């Protein structure tokens, strides 16, 4: 049976999570519906725009995303430290960007005097909002619900638009994070919707490539920071150029009509991650089939399961795909 989200999230073990939502109806989320003859590509922009609006509100970073015809992928990083650094007023300012709050929170946010007997209730509300602003379930709720309402209104119908709940996977180490990001970024190529990463519309890899051509990184995506982890802790500890090359090499191999091979730089990156070449191709093409729970090394998986009182054996076999020869 589905588990509550609180039994799948352990920020003590990792701040990275892969989430996936799928539509439940025959109508497509974004793409051509052969049954009705309608095209829904414009909905991709809805999802991408709202995703970045939420990233600016929540203490949650977007590491990767891909909006597909009947599902969407996001790789998220929970930034607990930022949420804890927000002042009480900043918490309310962030929350009020999405929700009205109540008369008391509105009054405090405007700098008006709060009566002594109201302080306890105000503090309680702020604590709840601070927790929600770094909660993946609330992030996905704020992403999926408006899209469902907008799509239902456009389709002139009611009822479910998404499947019951979004899928959530803990990414327990660097190898799991980078592999999942590449899997997400390569979705359009595997689905034969794009020939190259730079042609993959409404994906994080396209935004990163466009920004890289200007010598920049996208403002609304979690940056690659190379070895600057001490000076800039909020980032992915790899070089952006190495990641882009690895994704490009992998995409060429996936495309059966294009010649491609793993370059020397990409091979070095895989060696750093301790992932054999053959395993990498299997991971980036079958990640969704191989893993139905937390992803990482056996030791990381053991720690995660102990903290959440789970049985490791349900997930251990899949995780061996990372480093087995």
């Amino acid at each position: 049976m589905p588990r509550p989200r609180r039994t799948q999230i352990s920020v003590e073990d990792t701040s990275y999570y892969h989430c996936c939502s799928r539509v439940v109806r025959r109508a497509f989320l974004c793409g051509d519906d052969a049954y009705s003859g309608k095209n829904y590509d414009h909905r991709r922009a809805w999802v991408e725009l709202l995703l970045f609006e939420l990233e600016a509100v929540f203490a949650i970073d977007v590491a990767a995303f891909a909006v597909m015809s009947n599902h969407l992928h996001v790789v998220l990083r929970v930034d607990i430290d930022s949420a804890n650094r927000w002042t009480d007023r900043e918490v309310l300012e962030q929350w009020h960007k999405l929700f009205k709050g109540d008369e008391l929170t509105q009054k405090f946010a405007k700098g008006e005097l709060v009566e002594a007997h109201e302080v306890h209730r105000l503090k309680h509300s702020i604590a709840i909002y601070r927790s929600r602003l770094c909660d993946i379930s609330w992030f996905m709720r704020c992403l999926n619900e408006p899209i469902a309402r907008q799509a239902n209104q456009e389709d002139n119908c009611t009822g479910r638009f998404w499947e019951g709940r979004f899928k959530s996977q803990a990414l327990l180490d660097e190898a799991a994070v980078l592999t999942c990001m590449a899997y997400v970024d390569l979705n359009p190529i595997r689905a034969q919707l794009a020939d190259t990463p730079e042609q993959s519309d409404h994906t994080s890899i396209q935004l990163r490539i466009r920004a890289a051509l200007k010598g920049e990184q996208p403002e609304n995506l979690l940056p690659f920071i190379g070895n600057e982890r001490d000076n800039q802790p909020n980032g992915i500890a790899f070089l952006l150029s190495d990641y882009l090359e690895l994704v490009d090499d992998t995409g060429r191999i996936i495309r059966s009509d294009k010649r491609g091979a793993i370059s020397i730089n990409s091979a070095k990156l895989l060696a750093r991650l301790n992932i054999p070449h053959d395993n990498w191709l299997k991971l980036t093409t079958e990640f969704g089939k191989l893993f139905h729970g937390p992803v990482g090394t056996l030791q990381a998986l053991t720690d995660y399961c102990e903290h959440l009182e789970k049985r490791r054996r349900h997930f251990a076999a899949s995780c061996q795909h990372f480093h087995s020869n």
Side-chain angles (χ1 to χ4, degrees), residues 36 52 57 98 125-126 142 171 186 201 222 248 261 275 294:
S36 66
F52 291 139
V57 173
L98 297 174
S125 296
I126 291 172
C142 292
L171 305 175
L186 288 167
D201 294 334
L222 186 66
D248 184 65
I275 301 177

Side-chain angles (χ1 to χ4, degrees), residues 210-242:
R210 289 177 176 177
L213 293 175
K214 304 176 183 178
E216 303 171 351
Q217 296 202 53
E219 293 182 1
N220 41 23
L221 291 176
L222 186 66
F224 283 78
I225 58 175
N227 297 320
E228 301 176 5
R229 200 178 319 192
D230 294 336
N231 298 327
Q232 190 178 353
N234 293 339
I236 304 165
F238 298 90
L239 291 174
L240 174 60
S241 57
D242 289 346

Side-chain angles (χ1 to χ4, degrees), residues 104 114-126:
L104 179 58
V114 174
E115 300 294 337
H117 68 276
E118 298 176 318
V119 171
H120 177 74
R121 182 161 64 91
L122 175 64
K123 290 289 186 180
H124 180 68
S125 296
I126 291 172

Side-chain angles (χ1 to χ4, degrees), residues 176-308:
V177 171
L178 211 69
T179 302
C180 186
M181 288 180 61
Y183 167 77
V184 169
D185 280 331
L186 288 167
N187 255 262
I189 292 179
R190 287 196 308 276
Q192 299 182 349
L193 299 176
D195 292 335
T196 62
E198 54 266 33
Q199 294 174 347
S200 301
D201 294 334
H202 301 289
T203 61
S204 50
I205 192 66
Q206 185 183 66
L207 297 183
R208 292 192 189 279
I209 291 172
R210 289 177 176 177
L213 293 175
K214 304 176 183 178
E216 303 171 351
Q217 296 202 53
E219 293 182 1
N220 41 23
L221 291 176
L222 186 66
F224 283 78
I225 58 175
N227 297 320
E228 301 176 5
R229 200 178 319 192
D230 294 336
N231 298 327
Q232 190 178 353
N234 293 339
I236 304 165
F238 298 90
L239 291 174
L240 174 60
S241 57
D242 289 346
Y243 176 74
L244 295 181
E245 184 174 358
L246 178 62
V247 171
D248 184 65
D249 290 345
T250 308
R252 290 176 181 273
I253 296 174
I254 291 174
R255 283 285 309 282
S256 59
D257 60 339
K258 296 192 72 173
R259 184 177 180 180
I262 294 295
S263 66
I264 295 176
N265 285 339
S266 295
K268 289 181 179 178
L269 182 54
L270 292 180
R272 171 182 165 182
L273 297 171
N274 193 27
I275 301 177
H277 174 271
D278 291 341
N279 287 27
W280 172 255
L281 295 178
K282 186 176 182 66
L283 289 167
T284 52
T285 54
E286 301 180 27
F287 191 94
K289 297 179 181 179
L290 293 173
F291 303 106
H292 301 283
V295 186
T297 63
L298 290 180
Q299 184 56 56
L301 177 63
T302 299
D303 294 340
Y304 170 85
C305 291
E306 287 179 354
H307 292 150
L308 293 181

Side-chain angles (χ1 to χ4, degrees), residues 16-276:
Y16 289 91
Y17 294 86
H18 168 222
C19 301
C20 179
S21 294
R22 293 183 179 275
V23 298
V24 73
R25 294 202 303 263
R26 177 171 52 207
F28 275 37
L29 167 63
C30 308
D32 292 312
D33 185 350
Y35 180 81
S36 66
K38 294 182 180 179
N39 179 274
Y40 296 95
D41 276 337
H42 59 281
R43 292 179 179 174
R44 294 176 184 256
W46 296 357
V47 178
E48 185 172 347
L49 179 61
L50 181 55
L51 181 66
F52 291 139
E53 288 180 358
L54 296 177
E55 184 272 339
V57 173
F58 282 78
I60 292 177
D61 299 307
V62 178
F65 74 92
V67 185
M68 303 299 291
S69 61
N70 62 353
H71 66 286
L72 66 92
H73 292 273
V74 289
V75 178
L76 304 174
R77 175 185 177 273
V78 181
D79 190 357
I80 291 290
D81 292 337
S82 290
N84 290 335
R85 284 195 299 268
W86 284 338
T87 65
D88 289 350
R89 181 167 281 108
E90 286 173 334
V91 169
L92 294 181
E93 288 173 350
Q94 293 296 100
W95 185 255
H96 290 162
K97 292 177 182 178
L98 297 174
F99 301 98
K100 293 181 179 180
D102 56 31
E103 184 179 350
L104 179 58
T105 61
Q106 289 285 351
K107 182 167 64 173
F108 180 77
K110 295 175 183 177
E112 298 177 6
L113 181 65
V114 174
E115 300 294 337
H117 68 276
E118 298 176 318
V119 171
H120 177 74
R121 182 161 64 91
L122 175 64
K123 290 289 186 180
H124 180 68
S125 296
I126 291 172
I128 291 176
Y129 297 159
R130 191 187 301 273
S131 175
R132 290 176 179 176
L133 286 169
C134 54
D135 187 313
I136 286 178
S137 291
W138 272 88
F139 184 96
M140 293 301 295
R141 169 185 174 179
C142 292
L143 177 64
N144 285 347
E145 286 188 3
I147 298 300
R149 286 195 299 269
Q150 195 169 354
N152 279 350
Q153 183 178 14
E154 184 179 64
D155 293 339
N156 193 28
C157 67
T158 59
R160 285 186 178 273
F161 181 74
W162 302 99
E163 286 182 348
R165 299 195 307 173
F166 68 91
K167 175 184 176 183
S168 175
Q169 291 178 295
L171 305 175
L172 302 176
D173 53 36
E174 289 183 337
V177 171
L178 211 69
T179 302
C180 186
M181 288 180 61
Y183 167 77
V184 169
D185 280 331
L186 288 167
N187 255 262
I189 292 179
R190 287 196 308 276
Q192 299 182 349
L193 299 176
D195 292 335
T196 62
E198 54 266 33
Q199 294 174 347
S200 301
D201 294 334
H202 301 289
T203 61
S204 50
I205 192 66
Q206 185 183 66
L207 297 183
R208 292 192 189 279
I209 291 172
R210 289 177 176 177
L213 293 175
K214 304 176 183 178
E216 303 171 351
Q217 296 202 53
E219 293 182 1
N220 41 23
L221 291 176
L222 186 66
F224 283 78
I225 58 175
N227 297 320
E228 301 176 5
R229 200 178 319 192
D230 294 336
N231 298 327
Q232 190 178 353
N234 293 339
I236 304 165
F238 298 90
L239 291 174
L240 174 60
S241 57
D242 289 346
Y243 176 74
L244 295 181
E245 184 174 358
L246 178 62
V247 171
D248 184 65
D249 290 345
T250 308
R252 290 176 181 273
I253 296 174
I254 291 174
R255 283 285 309 282
S256 59
D257 60 339
K258 296 192 72 173
R259 184 177 180 180
I262 294 295
S263 66
I264 295 176
N265 285 339
S266 295
K268 289 181 179 178
L269 182 54
L270 292 180
R272 171 182 165 182
L273 297 171
N274 193 27
I275 301 177

